Amino acid sequence: MEAVLVVNAGSSSVKFQVFDTAQAGNLRRLIKGQMDGIGTRPRLRAVAADERALIDQYYAEKEVADVPAALHAAGKWLRESQKLEPVAVGHRVVHGGPDYDRPVRVNQEVLAHLERYVSLAPLHQPNNLAPIRSLLSRFPDLPQVACFDTAFHRGHSAVADHYAIPERFYEEGVRRYGFHGLSYEYVAERLRDIAPTLASGRVIIAHLGSGASMCALLNGRSVESTMGFTALDGLPMGTRPGQIDPGVLLYLIAEKGMKADAVQDLLYRDSGLKGLSGISNDMRELQANSAPGAKLAVDYFIYRVGLCAGMLAAALGGLDAFVFTAGIGEHSTIVRARIAECLTWLGAVFDPSANESAKSLISRPESRVALYVVPTDEELMIARQTVSLLKPKSARSAGHAAEKFSPT
């Protein structure tokens, strides 16, 4: 069976999915799993397409001490237990910099180029690249494709892309990139199926999860995003602050004596909902907690989403639809209801019953702005991009690569 392995690697977990590519134009999900607790209490879990459990196994801490070891363990299980030999691997890579506006097959040269952007996405990029590096070293003939969160936004105008600093910095790559592009691209495609007329109009998609951002789309193309040079800007997130006056950072360095690495840790790991609440970075825990800090964090999150909606509506010259997606956007009826209240001035008329019933359309018929909930699927988008890029290759050469691949 021809299958594509999709890898989304983080600092303490590796998520993976396997897709059957045998039927042209129709990717079928076979397995969904993850290895989490890497380096502490490693645990491999996976389910089949019908949600049937395939494995739930713990490993010794030293046995899975890092991301490459996690991929090794998961790959061994896929080969030995599921009899699967991937013909290609697609990877989520958060930052593609100014040079990559579409998926790319990775070799050592491309990998070295992508390593230049580690400082722009320190939470994500090193972990995204670790499994690529490991597989390149061990299985150089196995096709690997990097799919970028920044690529979907690369068509922005110069006005939207620039910061008001000397042009030489823009030429060096200091510009507004935008992120969560794989999610936005998938949701934009789904919206064309769900509401084709709206999809060709003025749409805001809110990717609300531990990482959060919003994107303005015109005819399905990104024209503006709340995130910029790094994944710190825009909305408050689980542990990241979102928009912040650069003067605050100068103050922390000059007046508080904080070093650059300490400021980086503060911004990436100790701010956002966690920093505001002093309790947790998890929206579910905060909503269930009556402490003042928890309430402040939730209120702040809702407030900033409302503000950014106004900004993006201005960039579009109006608004036809607002789409919720990602963990919070898909699952929190309370957050959706409160954000919908912030959109009434734009003409949104919320339908509480549809919201509580988990309907896709959660606005009333008279609403001038349609409100939708559309689940995202970044892994499926990565699989599609991987297959599309490698499609010109013959099935024979793909099969040859599969023969050479052994995760053990």
Side-chain angles (χ1 to χ4, degrees), residues 216-295:
L217 294 89
L218 189 61
N219 193 23
R221 298 178 62 86
S222 172
V223 298
E224 184 59 271
S225 170
T226 57
M227 281 184 169
F229 182 56
T230 69
L232 286 171
D233 201 6
L235 301 177
M237 291 162 262
T239 62
R240 287 169 272 169
Q243 184 180 9
I244 187 170
D245 184 341
V248 173
L249 311 184
L250 296 176
Y251 171 81
L252 295 178
I253 295 169
E255 299 298 326
K256 304 297 289 184
M258 293 180 68
K259 301 296 185 182
D261 57 352
V263 173
Q264 178 171 287
D265 282 345
L266 172 70
L267 295 178
Y268 278 99
R269 295 179 172 86
D270 293 321
S271 297
L273 300 179
K274 177 183 177 182
L276 269 177
S277 69
I279 296 170
S280 174
N281 63 343
D282 191 316
M283 178 63 76
R284 292 165 296 188
E285 293 182 23
L286 296 176
Q287 287 180 303
N289 197 308
S290 60
K295 182 179 184 303

Side-chain angles (χ1 to χ4, degrees), residues 101 150-158 160-161 177 221-224:
D101 62 356
T150 50
F152 186 64
H153 307 289
R154 295 291 281 112
H156 286 183
S157 68
D161 255 2
Y177 289 101
R221 298 178 62 86
S222 172
V223 298
E224 184 59 271

Side-chain angles (χ1 to χ4, degrees), residues 89 91 93 100 103-115 129 132-137 139-146 148 389-390:
V89 184
H91 300 265
V93 177
Y100 297 105
V104 63
R105 181 164 176 176
V106 184
N107 54 28
Q108 292 291 351
E109 182 181 358
V110 170
L111 178 62
H113 203 86
L114 294 175
E115 287 173 340
L129 301 182
I132 299 177
R133 186 183 303 106
S134 177
L135 289 174
L136 267 179
S137 173
F139 315 110
D141 294 326
L142 174 67
Q144 295 192 78
V145 175
F148 302 103
L389 181 67
L390 299 176

Side-chain angles (χ1 to χ4, degrees), residues 322 324 332-344 347-373:
F322 187 99
F324 296 91
S332 178
T333 58
I334 295 173
V335 169
R336 291 199 301 263
R338 293 190 59 187
I339 290 173
E341 290 179 12
C342 299
L343 305 177
T344 55
V349 182
F350 181 60
D351 186 336
S353 177
N355 184 47
E356 292 293 336
S357 302
K359 301 289 187 182
S360 178
L361 179 64
I362 58 171
S363 56
R364 294 189 182 278
E366 66 269 24
S367 182
R368 296 200 307 274
V369 174
L371 304 175
Y372 277 92
V373 182

Side-chain angles (χ1 to χ4, degrees), residues 10-294:
S11 59
S12 61
S13 68
V14 173
K15 298 178 182 178
F16 63 90
Q17 295 193 27
V18 178
F19 293 85
D20 176 13
T21 65
Q23 296 183 14
N26 182 27
L27 289 170
R28 183 168 62 94
R29 197 186 321 269
L30 300 175
I31 297 171
K32 179 178 182 179
Q34 69 180 61
M35 174 78 80
D36 51 26
I38 296 172
T40 55
R41 198 181 182 210
R43 181 186 186 187
L44 175 61
R45 290 174 290 169
V47 297
D50 59 3
E51 298 299 322
R52 174 174 47 88
L54 298 174
I55 187 173
D56 189 346
Q57 177 179 332
Y58 287 93
Y59 293 77
E61 178 181 332
K62 293 182 179 179
E63 195 175 357
V64 184
D66 54 24
V67 168
L71 184 66
H72 172 87
K76 180 180 179 181
W77 172 76
L78 285 170
R79 185 182 68 85
E80 295 181 353
S81 175
Q82 303 303 303
K83 310 303 180 186
L84 287 170
E85 299 283 1
V87 298
V89 184
H91 300 265
R92 178 196 180 202
V93 177
V94 165
H95 217 303
D99 298 319
Y100 297 105
D101 62 356
R102 65 199 67 192
V104 63
R105 181 164 176 176
V106 184
N107 54 28
Q108 292 291 351
E109 182 181 358
V110 170
L111 178 62
H113 203 86
L114 294 175
E115 287 173 340
R116 294 164 50 189
Y117 309 126
V118 165
S119 63
L120 305 188
L123 278 188
H124 303 90
Q125 199 85 348
N127 302 304
N128 297 159
L129 301 182
I132 299 177
R133 186 183 303 106
S134 177
L135 289 174
L136 267 179
S137 173
R138 296 163 62 199
F139 315 110
D141 294 326
L142 174 67
Q144 295 192 78
V145 175
C147 303
F148 302 103
D149 263 339
T150 50
F152 186 64
H153 307 289
R154 295 291 281 112
H156 286 183
S157 68
V159 169
D161 255 2
H162 273 71
Y163 289 105
I165 56 178
E167 180 68 13
R168 66 180 183 275
F169 293 109
Y170 180 85
E171 296 300 327
E172 293 172 5
V174 181
R175 59 187 71 177
R176 295 179 56 84
Y177 289 101
F179 297 88
H180 293 131
L182 293 165
S183 175
Y184 292 130
E185 186 171 359
Y186 176 82
V187 174
E189 288 186 6
R190 285 290 297 127
L191 196 61
R192 289 194 183 280
D193 296 330
I194 297 168
T197 302
L198 288 173
S200 64
R202 303 163 298 181
V203 177
I204 293 174
I205 302 176
H207 178 105
L208 307 179
S210 180
S213 70
M214 293 163 66
C215 178
L217 294 89
L218 189 61
N219 193 23
R221 298 178 62 86
S222 172
V223 298
E224 184 59 271
S225 170
T226 57
M227 281 184 169
F229 182 56
T230 69
L232 286 171
D233 201 6
L235 301 177
M237 291 162 262
T239 62
R240 287 169 272 169
Q243 184 180 9
I244 187 170
D245 184 341
V248 173
L249 311 184
L250 296 176
Y251 171 81
L252 295 178
I253 295 169
E255 299 298 326
K256 304 297 289 184
M258 293 180 68
K259 301 296 185 182
D261 57 352
V263 173
Q264 178 171 287
D265 282 345
L266 172 70
L267 295 178
Y268 278 99
R269 295 179 172 86
D270 293 321
S271 297
L273 300 179
K274 177 183 177 182
L276 269 177
S277 69
I279 296 170
S280 174
N281 63 343
D282 191 316
M283 178 63 76
R284 292 165 296 188
E285 293 182 23
L286 296 176
Q287 287 180 303
N289 197 308
S290 60

